Amino acid sequence: MLPGDLGVPLVIVQHMPPVFTKSLANSLNAKCALTVKEAQDGEPLQPNVAYIAPGGKQMKLVASTDGLNRLIKLTNDPPENSCKPSADYLFRSVADYYVGRTTAVIMTGMGADGCEGMKKIKHSGGYSIAQDASTCVVYGMPKAVVDAGLADEVRPVQVIAQ
């Protein structure tokens, strides 16, 4: 439901094993106005592209050598919150490189992955949206963010894109 001319890149962590994230990216790319792809190491972030972290890898953002652009860095760092990829791992780097210019969304999922990273995003001036309990399959990850007082908005999944 996001427009194809959103004007910013999106970075996504979905708790899925290797191979499945590429299939997810291909499926979403066929349905979305934005370009959706599985992220590749060293790839520069481009507006109107959604990058899905590959299953079994950690994904973060790093500065390019020119210092102006941001690149995707895939690592074999250990799991965080028993997750690889981990939202906390990604969110920390987003908070570092997009100070005051981030909207972070946390959606259905088990556990509390994303809560600590969301805290860093909020402390760096970012905005946060959590999916509401009534539309979650599992209200773990959004609940952790809401309970920590980090959600600027709590919305049903159908209106988050708006």
Side-chain angles (χ1 to χ4, degrees):
M1 293 173 57
L2 292 171
D5 61 351
L6 191 61
V8 296
L10 282 83
V11 288
I12 301 168
V13 163
Q14 176 71 40
H15 297 154
M16 296 178 93
V19 180
F20 290 98
T21 49
K22 186 166 184 68
S23 296
L24 174 65
N26 291 339
S27 174
L28 289 174
N29 189 55
K31 297 172 186 171
C32 296
L34 293 165
T35 298
V36 182
K37 62 188 307 274
E38 187 177 55
Q40 296 178 335
D41 190 48
E43 187 171 14
L45 290 180
Q46 299 293 321
N48 308 317
V49 178
Y51 302 90
I52 297 179
K57 297 281 187 184
Q58 295 289 19
M59 183 170 84
K60 63 182 174 180
L61 305 183
V62 297
S64 63
T65 54
D66 66 12
L68 301 174
N69 296 297
R70 302 297 171 247
L71 307 175
I72 291 172
K73 177 73 176 167
L74 301 178
T75 75
N76 286 313
D77 288 347
E80 292 188 17
N81 308 304
S82 301
C83 300
K84 190 173 178 179
S86 163
D88 278 337
Y89 187 94
L90 175 62
F91 281 0
R92 285 193 304 272
S93 67
V94 170
D96 287 342
Y97 289 110
Y98 289 94
V99 174
R101 299 180 295 148
T102 300
T103 298
V105 178
I106 193 97
M107 298 172 72
T108 188
M110 189 178 305
D113 186 36
C115 188
E116 287 302 313
M118 187 70 82
K119 190 178 298 180
K120 188 164 183 183
I121 285 173
K122 291 294 298 166
H123 289 186
S124 72
Y127 192 80
S128 72
I129 303 170
Q131 185 177 350
D132 75 343
S134 69
T135 62
C136 281
V137 175
V138 178
Y139 188 56
M141 292 168 58
K143 182 179 188 315
V145 168
V146 170
D147 288 353
L150 300 170
D152 293 303
E153 294 185 50
V154 180
R155 297 284 182 249
V157 69
Q158 304 90 322
V159 300
I160 289 175
Q162 296 169 7

